[in-house]
Amino acid sequence: MGFLYVNESGAVIGVEGNRCTVKYKDGMKKLIPIESLEGITILGQSQVTTQCLEECMARGISLSYFSKGGKYFGRLHSTRHVNTARQRKQCALYDTDFAVQLSRKIISAKLKNQSVVLKRYEKSKNLNLLEEQKMLAICRRKVMECDSIPEIIGFEGQGAKYYFRGLAKCIDEEFVFQGRSKRPPRDEFNSMISLGYSILMNEVYDKIETKGLNPFFGFLHRDAEKHPTLASDMMEEWRAVIVDTMVMSLINGHEIHKEDFTKNLDEPGCYLTRSGLKVFLNKLERKFQTEVRYLQYVDYAVSFRRAIFLQIEQLVKAIETGDTDYYEPIQIR
C-alpha cells in the first residue's frame, strides 16, 4: 500500500475504473491502481471529484489537506471504523493514573531516541555534545519520577531545548538553525521538520482512526480545541526517529539546498519551493517504507508505516484492559 502526494496547484484528482487519476494543468496525467492506495495527501489548491471522494470513503482511503507551506487543514474520512465502546473506555482513562503512566513511558522513550540520534551525529562529525547528553539523561530520569502530566511536559520541554541545541551543531554550514520556531517556521530546518511532523501526525491520525479510537482524546496532551491530542501523543516516540533523521540526511547528504526554499509566499515564514517539496516528499515516503526491527513483540522487519499501525494496536490493548504494560514505545539503539 502506498500514499499519493499532490503538490501542484490546479491538479484534478479523480477515478477511472479501478484507477485513481491525477490530471495536471500542463496536460500530464498520472494513473495509480486504487487498490494500492492507502491515502492521498494534497498540498496546495487541487480539486477532487465527487466520484473520487465517494470511492475514497467506500475503500477507507484517507484524504488529507495541507497548505502549500505545510499547514494542516483537515481530512476526509468515513465512519466505518468508529468503535463507540472502545472510545468510551479511552475517554474514561483521561484523568487517571493510566494517563500518567503512559505519558511517562512515551516521553522517556522520546528522550532516549533523541539521545541516540545525537550520539550518531556526534560520532560521525567528531563533536562533543556532553552537556546536551547529560541534560537529556537528567530529564529522562526526572520524567520517570513524575506523578503528574504537567511535570512530565515540563521535563520534555527542557529536554527538547538541549536536543535541538545539540542537533544545531550537527547541521552542515549551508543551513543555520537557532532553535525551534513553528508558526511560522523562520528557517529551512524548521520548515522541513514542521512539515515532516505534520505529515507524521497525519499518518498516526489515520492509524488511530482505523482502530476505532478517537484522535481527539489524548492522555499526555491535554484537551485542546480542534487539535487531535491522541495523535500528538502517539507521534512523540517517532519524531526524532523518522522526521529528524530524514531531514538531517537531506541536509548532510546535500540532497537539498538553500535555493529549494522561499520566503516570498503570502503567509510569512520559510517554505519549500515546488521542486524542493518534491525532493522532501520523495525522501520522507522512502523513510516510511524503510523496514526496521524496532518492535520488541515481532521477530521480523516491518516498515515504519506498518510499525506505527502495530503500535496503535498495542495501544488499543492497553486501553481495553486499562493496563499500560501492554504498550511499550519504540526505543532505538
Side-chain angles (χ1 to χ4, degrees), residues 164-222:
F164 283 115
R165 192 175 84 174
L167 211 56
K169 297 176 182 179
C170 303
I171 296 175
D172 280 1
E173 293 180 0
E174 182 183 0
F175 294 89
V176 177
F177 170 61
Q178 296 178 333
R180 274 298 273 139
S181 58
K182 303 177 184 179
R183 302 180 185 89
R186 294 191 302 264
D187 54 59
E188 295 83 3
F189 186 80
N190 273 296
S191 178
M192 287 190 285
I193 61 172
S194 289
L195 176 57
Y197 293 159
S198 292
I199 293 174
L200 172 60
M201 185 180 74
N202 187 53
E203 290 269 350
V204 175
Y205 189 121
D206 179 65
K207 308 302 183 288
I208 288 170
E209 202 170 62
T210 298
K211 297 307 297 181
L213 296 172
N214 190 316
F216 291 85
F217 293 168
F219 298 106
L220 168 66
H221 294 86
R222 303 283 85 185

Side-chain angles (χ1 to χ4, degrees), residues 282-298:
N282 285 339
K283 183 83 169 182
L284 183 57
E285 181 58 25
R286 289 198 300 272
K287 184 76 172 186
F288 279 126
Q289 293 178 13
T290 300
E291 294 195 342
V292 293
R293 291 180 175 270
Y294 291 149
L295 301 180
Q296 299 176 6
Y297 50 87
V298 293

Side-chain angles (χ1 to χ4, degrees), residues 135-148:
M135 290 306 300
L136 281 170
I138 290 173
C139 289
R140 188 181 181 211
R141 186 174 69 250
K142 292 289 187 182
V143 161
M144 295 310 294
E145 298 170 356
C146 291
D147 55 13
S148 74

Side-chain angles (χ1 to χ4, degrees), residues 72-95:
Y72 178 65
F73 290 134
R75 54 193 282 118
L76 171 80
H77 60 91
S78 69
T79 57
R80 68 178 191 164
H81 298 303
V82 173
N83 186 321
T84 52
R86 185 170 291 167
Q87 289 187 14
R88 287 184 186 280
K89 291 180 180 179
Q90 174 189 354
C91 188
L93 293 170
Y94 180 71
D95 279 321

Side-chain angles (χ1 to χ4, degrees), residues 314-328:
Q314 295 300 109
L315 176 66
V316 168
K317 292 178 183 178
I319 288 172
E320 292 193 330
T321 61
D323 186 353
T324 58
D325 284 347
Y326 281 96
Y327 191 82
E328 289 299 330

Side-chain angles (χ1 to χ4, degrees), residues 26-27 40-41 46 49 68 81 132 145 148 158 166 189 204 223 229 234 245-246 249 259 265 278 290 297 303 305:
D26 62 2
I40 301 171
T41 298
S46 295
T49 67
K68 202 68 175 175
H81 298 303
E132 287 83 0
E145 298 170 356
S148 74
Q158 187 76 356
F189 186 80
V204 175
D223 288 349
T229 50
M234 305 318 296
T245 55
M246 186 277 296
S249 177
E259 54 265 31
L265 297 182
K278 183 177 181 180
T290 300
Y297 50 87
S303 69
R305 183 169 281 132

Side-chain angles (χ1 to χ4, degrees), residues 99-154:
V100 176
Q101 291 180 25
L102 184 67
S103 298
R104 277 200 301 253
K105 283 188 167 189
I106 289 172
I107 296 305
S108 175
K110 176 183 180 178
L111 292 167
K112 171 68 183 305
N113 293 339
Q114 288 176 331
S115 175
V116 173
V117 168
L118 278 189
K119 283 178 182 176
R120 291 176 180 176
Y121 293 113
E122 184 179 12
K123 182 177 180 181
S124 65
K125 291 184 170 293
N126 196 26
L127 297 171
N128 185 342
L129 302 178
L130 185 62
E131 183 180 2
E132 287 83 0
Q133 291 287 8
K134 177 182 176 182
M135 290 306 300
L136 281 170
I138 290 173
C139 289
R140 188 181 181 211
R141 186 174 69 250
K142 292 289 187 182
V143 161
M144 295 310 294
E145 298 170 356
C146 291
D147 55 13
S148 74
I149 299 293
E151 285 183 293
I152 295 170
I153 292 174

